[in-house]
Amino acid sequence: MHCISQGQDFGTAYAYLRPQWHLDFFTLEARMTYTEAEDARERAEALDPSNNHVVNAKLRPRRVWDLFSNRVLLNGVETESVLRLVVVPVSHVWLAENERTEVHTPINSFQWPVPLPVDSSLERVRIELLNLGLQYVWLDVLCLRQRGNPEAEPQRAHEWKLDVRTIGAVHRETG
């Protein structure tokens, strides 16, 4: 019900349920709701509202890319077994505008266009990451809200207050 009430597609529902097959499905929605609330609390406490300074930069990433389901998941909705898994950070290559394209994709629920090199694709990146044996990845352009959706610009600006300042924690976790 949690995924349906959020308007998520089957791929996203599968991504949340896949690591939970061995757990009690009757308590799954309650666990997801609790984890989402805990993540929101931690993020609220990590930013000092009086001066917008980060007081806790040791947060897990807001989103992760589940390579098996090929969907981006909100960290706050993941349940404990997913939160314990290693999330590998991957950074894209900065390119001039004429060397990249913007892709709208169901992987991030079409929330923002993902900038990619014109000669590549998210599927090619995914295959390479799967070949490395990875399961959960933080790919910055896919997991960090990007510019491109004017209606979501206030939300992007709000998320970036904390998320950009805590990117180092994503990289330290696997370093």
Side-chain angles (χ1 to χ4, degrees), residues 9-78:
D9 65 12
F10 178 78
T12 304
Y14 169 69
Y16 288 120
L17 295 174
R18 186 177 57 77
Q20 310 302 321
W21 295 135
H22 65 285
L23 298 175
D24 178 11
F25 276 162
F26 295 109
T27 62
L28 179 61
E29 187 171 3
R31 289 192 318 266
M32 290 174 76
T33 301
Y34 171 79
T35 306
E36 185 176 354
E38 280 298 297
D39 185 70
R41 182 190 57 75
E42 288 176 8
R43 288 185 192 288
E45 291 175 358
L47 190 64
D48 182 345
S50 66
N51 56 18
N52 277 336
H53 289 172
V54 175
V55 294
N56 177 14
K58 296 180 181 177
L59 296 175
R60 295 196 40 96
R62 184 182 303 270
R63 296 175 187 87
V64 296
W65 184 12
D66 178 345
L67 297 172
F68 286 13
S69 70
N70 202 19
R71 290 296 186 270
V72 170
L73 306 176
L74 283 170
N75 199 10
V77 188
E78 297 171 25

Side-chain angles (χ1 to χ4, degrees), residues 46-158:
L47 190 64
D48 182 345
S50 66
N51 56 18
N52 277 336
H53 289 172
V54 175
V55 294
N56 177 14
K58 296 180 181 177
L59 296 175
R60 295 196 40 96
R62 184 182 303 270
R63 296 175 187 87
V64 296
W65 184 12
D66 178 345
L67 297 172
F68 286 13
S69 70
N70 202 19
R71 290 296 186 270
V72 170
L73 306 176
L74 283 170
N75 199 10
V77 188
E78 297 171 25
T79 56
E80 285 304 309
S81 64
V82 175
L83 289 172
R84 285 192 305 263
L85 295 175
V86 173
V87 175
V88 177
V90 178
S91 205
H92 76 290
V93 176
W94 292 94
L95 296 170
E97 236 178 278
N98 65 336
E99 296 176 338
R100 67 178 189 251
T101 186
E102 291 187 341
V103 177
H104 294 270
T105 176
I107 299 171
N108 71 351
S109 301
F110 302 101
Q111 290 186 42
W112 60 84
V114 179
L116 291 173
V118 292
D119 60 348
S120 191
S121 70
L122 286 170
E123 189 56 28
R124 288 175 68 186
V125 172
R126 179 177 175 251
I127 289 168
E128 289 300 321
L129 295 171
L130 286 168
N131 286 338
L132 292 171
L134 302 178
Q135 184 173 353
Y136 293 97
V137 172
W138 183 83
L139 176 64
D140 49 10
V141 294
L142 197 54
C143 297
L144 183 61
R145 187 178 296 277
Q146 303 294 303
R147 293 183 195 270
N149 181 351
E151 301 85 42
E153 186 57 25
Q155 185 177 1
R156 186 200 62 81
H158 174 74

